[in-house]
Amino acid sequence: MRIAINAEQLLQPSPGGIGRYTAELLSGLPRLYPDDEMSSFVAAHPESSIATARRKFQLANFHPWVLPLPRPFLYDSWHLFGRPRLSTFSSALAGAQVIHAPSLAVPPEPGHSTKLVVTIHDLAPKLFPETFTARGRRFHTMGFRAAKRRADLVITVSESAARELTDLGGIDKDRIRVVLNGVTPREVSEDGMRQVLKKHGLGNRPYIFWVGTLEPRKNLTFLLQAFSQVVHDEKCDVDLVLAGPSGWLAKESPLVRPEFALLREALEGRIHTLGAVSDDDLAALYKGAQVFAFPSKHEGFGLPILESMSQGTPVICADAGALPEVAGEAAMLKSLDDPGEWAHGISNVLNDNDLRQRLSTAGEARASELSWDRCIHATHDVYRELLS
């Protein structure tokens, strides 16, 4: 089988979960299906940017075809005009039997002999438009329309997201294939974990962990309110560690907004903002945490909760979007109505060793069910279905 994948997400400033998904496809498909011919393509970028993505995602053989248009012009040209076709740029792309867009950067219709697969991770831009820039809303709207019109099959990452695509997006459910994301646990030694904690200035105090892009949908304000009650009402001697890049509304984060000054002062020395961290450091930070808290308002999947479970860390997450589906019975689910309920739940996990162990064991079992290899095999099955 000849497969071409749009790898542009790897070069985004904040690749996020879609970047991880794309990287796993690019590394896993050649490993599991060595007889296939794999190629990838990106917009116009300097080689230095491609090399940075190659190192970041540990893709030694990442040498994509570089198309001649910069990212914004390429996307607009694809979505508005259906040009330029990939077949005009290289024989490898012209000969692809399957083209896969892992995001809503949707190439033109490839022609009768080539099939187009698009992965749509959720409809967050439609459900929460205020959490995206005007440019982001425009991109997602045009990309969704292009996917709905052009894709031979649509992959999505949860049954929850599939319902969104059908009920809100109007995509026929017969065109949708649900393929859950996965996780590959990273080995973290106790000594390695301690070194990472020291590297990031974390002392001996236990900590609650959160990871994500600093943007409104991730609901960081709610988490800080809950954490304040954990410290002051529940009397827990614990820190809060935040990791992840700044999003487009970082200036709206409670970490910098003046109206949260008193809250920050009351928690002085207990909140640690690490910014973006490497994958190896992230695994160690998951492993070192007493609890992972994830009060996101909406997720098409929610990869961080699965990554946390793979390190044996108990998870408390919102009962929103796909999170209950991904967590199964392995997490403590909470509504987003009351930060006090979250504070009480976090306190219970911190103080109840039996509860913490039950969640840890259940989480590791759940993570073992959802591997990236399983995801890649299921994705390859979609390709084969199209070609049959």
Side-chain angles (χ1 to χ4, degrees):
M1 189 185 304
R2 298 185 299 277
I3 306 162
I5 294 180
N6 183 2
E8 180 65 21
Q9 187 70 25
L10 302 185
L11 285 90
Q12 292 280 1
S14 300
I18 300 178
R20 170 53 54 198
Y21 170 75
T22 305
E24 293 293 341
L25 290 176
L26 291 173
S27 64
L29 283 166
R31 175 172 53 83
L32 296 175
Y33 299 95
D35 292 336
D36 289 351
E37 296 179 21
M38 278 281 303
S39 59
S40 60
F41 54 93
V42 296
H45 294 277
E47 173 56 33
S48 59
S49 297
I50 295 171
T52 297
R54 189 182 299 130
R55 290 191 300 271
K56 174 179 175 57
F57 290 99
Q58 300 177 8
L59 296 170
N61 295 319
F62 179 53
H63 299 283
W65 291 96
V66 179
L67 309 184
L69 291 176
R71 177 189 293 142
F73 295 105
L74 182 66
Y75 289 177
D76 284 351
S77 183
W78 278 352
H79 293 161
L80 291 173
F81 309 115
R83 295 288 188 275
R85 290 182 183 274
L86 296 174
S87 57
T88 62
F89 298 113
S90 79
S91 58
L93 298 181
Q97 295 171 285
V98 175
I99 294 173
H100 187 173
S103 72
L104 286 176
V106 182
E109 293 178 76
H112 295 301
S113 61
T114 303
K115 302 298 183 182
L116 176 64
V117 178
V118 180
T119 300
I120 306 178
H121 297 261
D122 57 41
L123 285 186
K126 188 177 182 70
L127 290 165
F128 300 95
E130 72 282 359
T131 66
F132 291 79
T133 64
R135 169 71 190 175
R137 290 194 297 271
R138 181 169 176 267
F139 162 76
H140 283 92
T141 298
M142 292 194 303
F144 181 80
R145 288 173 181 167
K148 184 176 179 180
R149 184 171 63 252
R150 299 173 189 166
D152 293 285
L153 285 178
V154 169
I155 291 175
T156 196
V157 295
S158 64
E159 295 291 348
S160 173
R163 288 191 294 272
E164 290 177 15
L165 298 186
T166 300
D167 297 344
L168 299 178
I171 296 179
D172 193 309
K173 63 182 180 181
D174 291 339
R175 292 174 61 203
I176 299 172
R177 301 293 180 269
V178 175
V179 178
L180 273 67
N181 288 335
V183 66
T184 301
R186 289 175 177 262
E187 292 293 330
V188 181
S189 68
E190 291 294 325
D191 184 57
M193 181 186 72
R194 286 191 292 269
Q195 290 181 23
V196 170
L197 300 189
K198 182 178 180 180
K199 169 185 171 182
H200 290 286
L202 304 178
N204 294 323
R205 197 151 49 199
Y207 65 89
I208 302 161
F209 189 43
W210 173 91
V211 65
T213 304
L214 292 177
E215 59 178 77
R217 184 162 54 99
K218 301 302 182 180
N219 214 12
L220 193 55
T221 298
F222 184 94
L223 178 58
L224 289 182
Q225 292 169 337
F227 177 62
S228 176
Q229 295 186 48
V230 169
V231 173
H232 296 119
D233 297 347
E234 302 289 340
K235 308 299 182 185
C236 295
D237 187 24
V238 64
D239 286 357
L240 175 64
V241 176
L242 311 172
S246 296
W248 74 278
L249 270 181
K251 65 181 183 299
E252 298 295 327
S253 166
L255 297 174
V256 296
R257 283 166 60 183
E259 61 265 39
F260 285 94
L262 291 177
L263 178 59
R264 293 194 302 273
E265 290 173 8
L267 298 170
E268 184 177 4
R270 290 185 178 270
I271 300 176
H272 307 265
T273 307
L274 309 185
V277 299
S278 70
D279 288 343
D280 288 338
D281 283 9
L282 181 59
L285 291 164
Y286 280 128
K287 188 176 182 67
Q290 293 295 298
V291 61
F292 180 76
F294 200 62
S296 181
K297 294 178 181 178
H298 179 271
E299 296 288 334
F301 186 82
L303 194 55
I305 68 170
L306 199 61
E307 292 174 336
S308 182
M309 288 176 178
S310 75
Q311 295 298 333
T313 300
V315 170
I316 298 178
C317 64
D319 60 352
L323 296 179
E325 177 184 344
V326 175
E329 301 296 322
M332 181 183 291
L333 298 173
K334 293 285 185 181
S335 75
L336 294 173
D337 296 329
D338 181 10
E341 283 297 311
W342 278 68
H344 186 62
I346 291 171
S347 174
N348 285 343
V349 176
L350 292 173
N351 294 310
D352 187 335
N353 290 332
D354 290 340
L355 173 61
R356 191 163 60 250
Q357 185 58 52
R358 286 199 302 273
L359 288 173
S360 174
T361 301
E364 287 184 301
R366 178 57 173 161
S368 70
E369 296 172 354
L370 297 176
S371 70
W372 278 119
D373 280 4
R374 177 211 49 79
C375 172
I376 292 162
H377 282 306
T379 301
H380 197 267
D381 287 344
V382 176
Y383 301 162
R384 287 192 297 185
E385 178 186 353
L386 279 173
L387 296 184
S388 66

